[in-house]
Every structure is written in C-alpha cells, then in structure tokens.
Amino acid sequence: MTREGFDSSKIQSIIGYKFKNPRLLQQAFTRRSFSQENQDFEDNETLEFYGDSALNLYISREMSESFGKIEKNQFVSEKNEGELSKIRSWNVNKERLSHCIQVIGLERFLLLGSSDIKNEVWKSDSVKEDLFEAIVGAVAIDSAWNSDDIKIVCQNLFSISDFEENYIALLEEECEKHGWEKPRIWDENFFHQPIVTYINRFAPLLWDKISNTEKFSFRIRNLRNTISDYNPVYSSTSTKAIMLSAKNYYEWLLRRDKIQKEIDKIDENRAVNQLHELRQKGLIEEPIYSFSESHDKDGNPIWKCTCKLNEAEYPFEAENSSKKKVKQEVASQALFFLIGSEIIFYKAEGGI
C-alpha cells in the first residue's frame, strides 16, 4: 500500500517524463516488502543499480560540458580528476538525493509492505535516496538509455534541491484550510495545455505555462487582478518554476491573512492611513500615488488619481472634484483588493 494513492500521472508530471511502459514507473516505487506480499510486483532494487549508473552518466556529461572543451583535437578540462570527483560526490550524496525526493513529496507514493509501514521507512534518507536512483533507472530503461530524457528527469529533480519546504503541498493545505478547491497543478495534461482552476468563488487561480527550448515560465493568477509579484516565474526547469510559483503565492496568502486581521473594516475616510499602516508593518510595499488635474466645461477641477501597489498588476484609478477624496477612493480600492472583499466571477473559454 501507499500512504497516498499511487498517481502515475502526477509523478510523471513532476519528473517531466511520460513512460511508454507505466509498470516500470510503478516498479521504481515498489519496495521489496511490498513485492514479497504481492507476487505480481517486482521490487525496485535492480532499477536502483541502473539508476546509479545513469545518474553518474548524467553528472559526468554535465561536468564535461561545463568544465571541458576540445583543443587541438584533444579534451582539455579546467578541473583536475580530484576536483571532478569531489563535484560528482557532492551531487550524488545521500542527503541531497533524499532531500530532492522529500521536498517534492515523492516518497508518499512508495508501495510498502506491512513491515515497512510499521517501521515508517519512508522517513529514511537511504530509502529516499534509493527511490531517486530507481526513478532514474526506470527512465533509463524505458527510454532505451536516451541521454536527453535522463537529463530532463535529473534536472527536474535536482532543480528543487534549494527549497526547504514543499510549497506545492503547503499551498494545497492553505487552500483546504480556507475551504477552497486544491489547485490542479500536477495534471496529466499540464505540460500540453494551460489549466484553469477555480478555488471556490473567491480566489480562482490560473496556472499558465509558457516554455521554449531553454526556459519555463509559470505564473499563478487571481483572475480578478493578477498579483504581479508572482508572475511570471522563470526557471530552467518546469518543476522548479512551478515550485517557485507555489512558494510565492503561498507566502502571499499568508500575508493576506495577516492583512485581513489588521483591517477589520475598511474606513473610506481613513483608507489612506490604513494603507500606510499596512506598509509600516511590512505587510505591503509602499503605495505609489500619482495625480493629474483637468477641468469640466464650467472650469471646475477634476482630479484623477492612480494608486500602484506592487502586489497588484494594474493600478487603481478614480476621479473626483476633491483631491483628498479621490486619494481616499483609490486607497479604498487597494484595500478591497488586499483583503479580497470584492468577488467577481470569471469563465474561461478557449484557453488563455
């Protein structure tokens, strides 16, 4: 059994590779304890062996391309053998491989026998290291040792090693806490078309993927008003770009919760002061106001004011005969945006 149902589509989206033979992927997650209790399942130990070789092949290729070149028909390296050995050892050490598996949550899908469940082996660094190698081994076998496919999977898994938390899981938990639908981040069609997810009536999110041969860009949008800090996020791998997007939006939701606690009620007569207080407490960046004056046909002044928040893609605008009142109006709009009081419905048609 798994601690979470085995989801091959989700796993393939995470690693960035679609298996021709999905049973190989399942085998990569199969512990010996499970195969002993289920005779139709082969364990992942042989795949670990080949994965270790494939991983070393990937690391060697990356080092040769980074540190070496052909001069006068001979290979020259800026790193010596000892230095290269240290770099390779650091890249494939147990703690790093284990962390990459844990931070993206792949150990949740391990197929475990009763003894492994009792001993909670998914918490072990060695077990997570073995899973990393088995996944790479399964990709190597399935792809007939295609070096480009192996490279993509290794890059996707290694690219998240800098994260300390699984921000995708944290974002999902935050959505659940608010009673919202989880974002459908890992979807079997995710890498083929944009996915629009509506989180209840309040915070619809858009995961928008743009990619070319070198860069992946993902963004999360509240369809009512894009939060510009958090889109788009660029990275060399799709998995890291998604994790960055989830991290930024998760942190924004936490900040917004604090803002809601600070602003119990929007006072239109104090909106400018309320916005300034949020800035003083470090909950928002400095609002930027700009004014322009025109006149109606009778010569009366018409003040136009815009308020730009770093947290919002578009500025807030209003017109009034009073310069003071027009500033309060745009500040009120900004506050409504920040605490999420305004509910607008959208329907996505024909993609993005």
Side-chain angles (χ1 to χ4, degrees):
M1 65 170 290
T2 62
R3 293 188 297 130
E4 185 171 312
F6 190 81
D7 190 337
S8 61
S9 295
K10 186 171 185 177
I11 296 167
Q12 289 176 98
S13 294
I14 290 172
I15 67 175
Y17 177 79
K18 187 172 181 62
F19 276 79
K20 304 174 189 71
N21 177 5
R23 282 301 297 269
L24 277 174
L25 175 63
Q26 191 175 54
Q27 184 180 350
F29 284 78
T30 302
R31 293 272 299 168
R32 183 193 292 180
S33 65
F34 186 89
S35 66
Q36 288 174 339
E37 297 173 7
N38 299 269
Q39 298 303 314
D40 292 335
F41 288 79
E42 293 287 339
D43 65 49
N44 64 3
E45 293 179 6
T46 306
L47 291 178
E48 291 170 24
F49 173 82
Y50 288 114
D52 179 65
S53 299
L55 190 53
N56 279 314
L57 177 63
Y58 160 72
I59 296 296
S60 297
R61 176 182 172 181
E62 292 296 295
M63 290 193 299
S64 70
E65 292 176 355
S66 298
F67 306 124
K69 60 183 177 179
I70 297 294
E71 287 185 358
K72 298 179 181 179
N73 295 321
Q74 298 181 86
F75 183 76
V76 179
S77 175
E78 65 182 70
K79 302 287 185 183
N80 62 39
E81 182 183 0
E83 291 171 327
L84 291 172
S85 295
K86 288 180 181 179
I87 293 170
R88 182 172 58 189
S89 296
W90 180 84
N91 275 284
V92 298
N93 72 68
K94 178 190 298 184
E95 289 75 19
R96 188 173 189 226
L97 300 187
S98 170
H99 178 72
C100 291
I101 290 295
Q102 180 176 324
V103 80
I104 203 67
L106 285 175
E107 80 282 1
R108 295 172 296 166
F109 302 111
L110 279 167
L111 296 168
L112 306 167
S114 54
S115 60
D116 276 348
I117 293 171
K118 181 180 178 180
N119 293 322
E120 299 183 341
V121 299
W122 60 84
K123 296 179 180 178
S124 163
D125 282 348
S126 293
V127 170
K128 286 177 281 193
E129 175 194 23
D130 292 344
L131 177 57
F132 191 114
E133 292 174 344
I135 291 170
V136 176
V139 171
I141 300 297
D142 191 70
S143 68
W145 290 84
N146 183 292
S147 60
D148 290 333
D149 288 332
I150 294 169
K151 177 178 180 177
I152 288 170
V153 171
C154 290
Q155 284 182 331
N156 273 321
L157 291 175
F158 278 132
S159 69
I160 56 173
S161 62
D162 292 337
F163 293 94
E164 294 299 324
E165 299 280 354
N166 183 348
Y167 287 98
I168 296 167
L170 289 174
L171 177 60
E172 290 176 343
E173 291 170 8
E174 188 69 13
C175 291
E176 278 190 312
K177 186 177 78 174
H178 288 278
W180 304 337
E181 177 190 349
K182 287 184 181 181
R184 290 187 298 119
I185 301 169
W186 305 118
D187 184 281
E188 61 181 337
N189 295 317
F190 184 77
F191 290 94
H192 305 290
Q193 63 187 35
I195 291 174
V196 177
T197 296
Y198 293 94
I199 296 186
N200 204 5
R201 295 178 174 179
F202 170 66
L205 295 186
L206 170 67
W207 292 83
D208 181 11
K209 172 192 173 256
I210 310 163
S211 68
N212 56 36
T213 56
E214 296 179 351
K215 293 272 187 179
F216 289 85
S217 168
F218 288 86
R219 60 182 176 180
I220 309 176
R221 289 198 304 183
N222 178 317
L223 295 183
R224 173 165 51 80
N225 204 337
T226 301
I227 300 173
S228 59
D229 268 3
Y230 316 133
N231 87 93
V233 172
Y234 292 97
S235 178
S236 57
T237 73
S238 58
T239 302
K240 184 174 183 179
I242 296 168
M243 184 75 92
L244 281 169
S245 294
K247 177 180 184 289
N248 290 338
Y249 201 86
Y250 168 73
E251 291 176 346
W252 159 246
L253 289 178
L254 295 185
R255 273 203 296 147
R256 200 205 58 190
D257 286 346
K258 292 180 180 178
I259 290 170
Q260 288 176 328
K261 291 177 182 177
E262 291 291 335
I263 306 296
D264 182 52
K265 181 181 179 181
I266 295 175
D267 182 348
E268 293 186 0
N269 294 318
R270 292 193 64 255
V272 173
N273 290 336
Q274 287 180 305
L275 208 56
H276 181 65
E277 289 164 8
L278 293 178
R279 171 68 185 97
Q280 286 184 316
K281 293 177 180 178
L283 295 175
I284 62 171
E285 297 295 324
E286 183 73 38
I288 299 174
Y289 298 94
S290 60
F291 297 88
S292 62
E293 184 184 12
S294 61
H295 297 83
D296 63 18
K297 61 182 181 180
D298 297 320
N300 299 310
I302 300 174
W303 287 98
K304 180 177 180 180
C305 180
T306 62
C307 174
K308 175 62 179 173
L309 287 182
N310 196 45
E311 291 75 12
E313 182 178 19
Y314 303 107
F316 305 95
E317 299 179 346
E319 290 184 354
N320 197 292
S321 59
S322 166
K323 187 176 181 181
K324 180 179 179 180
K325 287 183 178 180
V326 77
K327 187 176 182 180
Q328 297 288 13
E329 286 179 22
V330 293
S332 295
Q333 291 178 31
L335 288 170
F336 274 110
F337 167 81
L338 290 169
I339 67 173
S341 296
E342 182 183 4
I343 298 175
I344 297 179
F345 298 93
Y346 285 84
K347 180 181 180 182
E349 297 178 349
I352 301 166

